[in-house]
Amino acid sequence: MTGVFTRRALRAAACALSVLTLSASTLLAQTRTITGQVLEEDTRAPITAAQLQVQGTTIGTLSREDGRFTITGAPAGDLVLVVRRLGYPMTRIPVDASRNTLEIVLKKDVLNLDQVVVTGQATGISRRNLANDVASVSGADMNKVSAQSIENAMQGKIAGAQIAQSTGAPGGGNRIRIRGISSILGSAQPLYVIDGVIVTDVAIGSGTNKVTRASGSGISVGNQEAPVNRIADLNPNDIENVDILKGSAAAAIYGSKASGGVIIITTKRGKAGKPKFSLRMGTGTSELAYRNGSRHFQSLQDAIAVFGTGITPYYDSNRVLDYETLAYGNRPINSDLSLSVSGGSDDTRYFVSASRRNEEGIVKNTFARKTNVRVNLDQRISSRINLQVGNEVLNNVSDRGLFGNDNAGNSIAYALTKIPSFLDLRRNADGSWPVNPFYPSNPLQTIDQFENNENVWRNITTSRLTADLLTGDRHTLQFIAFGGVDLLNQTNLIYSPPTLQFEPVDGLPGTSANSKTTNLQRNLNLNLVHGWNVGSSLKVTSQVGTQFEQRQFNQTRASAQNLLGGLEVVTSGTVRDVDESRLEVQDFGVFAQTEALWREKLLLTVGARADRSSNNGDPAKFFLFPKAATSYRFANFMPGMIDEAKLRVAYGETGNQPLYGQKFTNLDLSSVGGIGAFRVGTVRAASDLRPERQREFEAGLDLNLLRNRATFAVTNFRRNISDLLITRTLAPTSGFSSETSNGAEMQVTGTEVSINAFPVQTATWGWTSRLNWGTNRSRVTKLPVPTFLLGSPQTGAVRIEEGKSATQLIGNDTLPQAGGRVVVPVVMGDGNPLWTAGWGNEVRYRGLSLYALLDQQKGGMLANGTWRHYDLGQNSRDYDDLDEYGRKVGEVRRTSYLQVTDIYYQSTSFVKLREVTLSWDLPQKWTTALWSGASGAKLSLSGRNLYWWTKFRGGDPEAQNFGQGGVPDAIQRNRELAAYPASRSYWLNFSVDF
């Protein structure tokens, strides 16, 4: 029996093995291997890292360095191969069952019509189907000219964006306002997202207020100190692309934090192939871009009239010193060095970069030194799971001198306005500094000895996990998770030694202030994305997800005066002060969105996000922010003229959170009979404090013209903003002076136009032109409190008034009244420009190219504080000029400015030659002759802010130095005052790939 059973078992096993072998043979017969090469149409150059995928499956590969590819396990029957590569249109190639070798030719997408643009937390769509106006700036365009920050690199390149510097000091310091004003008392800076992770753009004051007394006696008042907004830490060379979600319909996916717009930064990632190195070396310099000039006193009598008889020993009619040259005449040698390497296999890819930028200022002893190291890794864990991680370590060290608003006579720019050109304050032969007998400080000594050191260490970690849970011809399901941490540590040290002339004035010689700040931001974003192919003509993509964000800010400050022995440590001071700030904010949001694309023509999008925040009066309450959009493409509309037309309409809602602590009524320190106590603060908080809400409707038309050689886009938008935060005055019987609450409303309308064209594009010649233009207007539609001013009419104020612009500027004027004239505040103009525009052109001939960008602003207004202080010092360059009545014009301005301040309110219209670059791609034979391993090299000469045409007097019309550190959006752009002067820069760069 045992033998019979054994023989039967062997026969059964043999039969099973035969069946398995036959099944395996059948299975193998159902698959095949497809090979080929991907080439560029005009140049026939191989295209590296093109993504090839069999439609409806996860089977695919990447093209290698020579453009060749191999796809194994492809179905044996007819199939469609989908080819994607950044900079080229997505291409679908039918492959019948008999073809196993392909040559795929891609035409470069110069107009980026097939660029994928973010439309959801984890989804995107090609630009040609996009239903919103989303601006994009490529990494190549960002780096045409060396820039100190990404915001400087974007100036003049985005329709509807106003980007202005708060200071000309090295290291940056900018403000971006997208589509006009969006708040009155709240902040309106855009939200920054790097590789899917929200990062901070906090601006932290340095602590100079203890020396300048610009605002009270606190250690630091950030909005008076022109702090750097920390997005300037990033290295522009690492950026692949920047998308700007301007409208609420696009930005609604970020809910209650997105009313100022969203800037999405995508960094460079590795491509499969051998290691590719890129080395960039640059050296440059900069110089003062504008001179105020000063008065040349014609006689001793004129000098005595200003300074008194004590000026006599100093007066010398033959000595005319140019103090702007003495203070701002440094011609630094700057450098910018970066090295990157990328490569890997189909499963593992990497991008590693390191950079060092050293930027010295036009003022001696001022500088900004930035060091960055980035590592991006892409790992295919399995056929269904992919992981992307990135880490960047940054270190910024800077000294920005002593500039800006000043009420003590110590700021460098202030002091310069009061020094006559015949007074010699240069260093003595023995190394000592002369005393300025007519003003509290010697600015040249301040430049030499004052220290304003800032050291920032920052670590940004990002990650993205993608898991294909379901793949099929009709249904796909992905789990996509983003997570990241942004950790920033900033240390500031202010040291004003006792030897400085102004230090003994208050009887406390020597001032030291230091601060340590930590800002920690955590993000976690979880998404499920479902794709549904309904037949061959309809594709539906849906996603649901959650987002958690935590922000922690901790800051300690200490200051000391009367430094014993001149030691800069605060423990050496006899008069000390301390300050501490702590805050923590937790946000949680849930969202859902569905996009339906029919025949690649009609797109319908609906979605919503619900947010709650610990900043709200009720931290458990969710606020809903919906969105909806649609677009329709008319293909072959008028072939040869209008190749394609697209109509789009979108609606969306976003919010602006209350600031931390606004929901609380403060307890202030007090003393009762010498015993420490608390007392209730005078500002009462509203218990139902909630986000400001912005509802925006936009409609637009996009055209592809002249056989797809140009695009034209126009967008009109209208924003209705409600629940604006305002301060309400309360009756004294309430026990409070005022209350912070929601209640005001505002409307903003505008138009934006973008034109991209490449009229000439051959192997020898090329011409690319880009034009953008934008305008917007605001109007306060509801104000449940009386009209109020932000600022002072004497120096520059904004008046918030129902029915009027939210950026109208108010100054003093005199009006006739019985018995004389009376001083009253009147409208001087509007701080918001009528329109802004940018026009960039690049002409290429073989390996030579010339690029130039013009940036223009029409209208807008500033209160010109620097010029005013030259007049107050009776030291302005035209002070002695005579008017039609024979009076000195400077004297007329000085004696009347308190009553008639329109003298110093000036239009900020300008045209700037923002960027110019002449570059040369060295011939390949030269490159290989110098180094056989090199694959290409480029030499370029470039400049930034080379020249501007403007009637604005007093410096840079863009440098409004009251725009950081929590300044309300309404008054970000209304005053210019003693800022670090603007400069023009020049760079010589050499780059080589190997």
Side-chain angles (χ1 to χ4, degrees), residues 263-315:
I263 296 180
I264 298 176
I265 299 170
T266 303
T267 62
K268 295 178 180 178
R269 310 203 72 86
K271 300 176 176 64
K274 296 178 181 179
K276 284 190 173 182
F277 293 84
S278 180
L279 175 65
R280 175 172 174 162
M281 299 174 288
T283 184
T285 188
S286 54
E287 65 178 2
L288 180 64
Y290 177 89
R291 295 177 180 274
N292 288 284
S294 64
R295 183 180 183 183
H296 181 197
F297 286 85
Q298 302 297 321
S299 67
L300 176 60
Q301 288 70 28
D302 285 343
I304 291 175
V306 177
F307 302 100
T309 56
I311 197 68
T312 304
Y314 303 96
Y315 181 74

Side-chain angles (χ1 to χ4, degrees), residues 57 220 230 609 784 993:
T57 74
S220 177
R230 296 270 45 117
R609 173 165 175 148
D993 299 326

Side-chain angles (χ1 to χ4, degrees), residues 520-532:
L520 176 64
Q521 196 146 326
R522 299 186 182 99
N523 291 259
L524 180 61
N525 180 279
L526 306 177
N527 306 266
L528 279 176
V529 181
H530 177 255
W532 180 24

Side-chain angles (χ1 to χ4, degrees), residues 222-258:
N223 61 352
Q224 300 281 350
E225 298 172 347
V228 178
N229 54 316
R230 296 270 45 117
I231 205 66
D233 295 330
L234 302 183
N235 178 15
N237 293 318
D238 286 345
I239 294 175
E240 182 72 38
N241 190 72
V242 177
D243 290 328
I244 299 91
L245 310 185
K246 296 187 288 186
S248 292
I253 56 175
Y254 291 96
S256 63
K257 296 181 288 293

Side-chain angles (χ1 to χ4, degrees), residues 838-898:
W839 185 29
N841 286 273
E842 185 170 17
V843 177
R844 173 185 56 83
Y845 173 71
R846 299 188 185 276
L848 284 173
S849 67
L850 176 63
Y851 161 80
L853 173 66
L854 287 174
D855 193 3
Q856 183 171 4
Q857 176 174 297
K858 179 67 174 178
M861 181 171 282
L862 277 181
N864 193 326
T866 302
W867 176 23
R868 175 166 54 88
H869 275 275
Y870 270 102
D871 275 351
L872 292 178
Q874 303 180 58
N875 199 31
S876 49
R877 64 175 184 253
D878 62 346
Y879 197 90
D880 292 319
D881 292 351
L882 301 179
D883 65 10
E884 58 183 335
Y885 303 106
R887 301 173 301 177
K888 292 185 177 182
V889 295
E891 187 67 17
V892 173
R893 295 193 300 255
R894 184 181 70 86
T895 55
S896 62
Y897 94 95
L898 290 176

Side-chain angles (χ1 to χ4, degrees), residues 337-386:
L337 176 66
S338 64
L339 175 66
S340 65
V341 57
S342 66
S345 63
D346 289 348
D347 292 330
T348 305
R349 299 184 299 279
Y350 58 86
F351 172 84
V352 181
S353 72
S355 68
R356 168 75 172 183
R357 180 184 174 93
N358 182 35
E359 183 182 358
E360 305 290 326
I362 59 173
V363 179
K364 289 182 179 180
N365 298 325
T366 62
F367 60 86
R369 294 165 189 152
K370 182 191 304 185
T371 305
N372 304 64
V373 177
R374 170 176 287 279
V375 178
N376 283 350
L377 295 175
D378 295 21
Q379 177 65 49
R380 180 183 295 176
I381 298 175
S382 70
S383 61
R384 291 179 177 269
I385 301 177
N386 291 278

Side-chain angles (χ1 to χ4, degrees), residues 531-570:
W532 180 24
N533 294 318
V534 187
S536 60
S537 59
L538 179 62
K539 181 178 181 180
V540 180
T541 303
S542 302
Q543 75 169 89
V544 294
T546 66
Q547 185 168 38
F548 172 78
E549 183 185 354
Q550 182 185 45
R551 305 190 298 277
Q552 292 177 321
F553 179 92
N554 294 303
Q555 181 180 76
T556 58
R557 296 187 185 273
S559 69
Q561 295 171 283
N562 193 30
L563 304 179
L564 300 179
L567 297 178
E568 63 183 71
V569 293
V570 294

Side-chain angles (χ1 to χ4, degrees), residues 900-946:
V900 186
T901 54
D902 65 337
I903 301 167
Y904 301 110
Y905 280 79
Q906 287 191 284
S907 169
T908 53
S909 295
F910 66 80
V911 178
K912 284 195 175 186
L913 185 55
R914 182 74 72 185
E915 296 180 346
V916 174
T917 295
L918 177 64
S919 61
W920 180 32
D921 291 317
L922 274 63
Q924 187 62 40
K925 61 181 180 179
W926 291 16
T927 305
T928 53
L930 292 172
W931 183 14
S932 60
S935 58
K938 176 180 288 188
L939 186 67
S940 65
L941 179 64
S942 60
R944 177 177 295 278
N945 293 332
L946 294 182

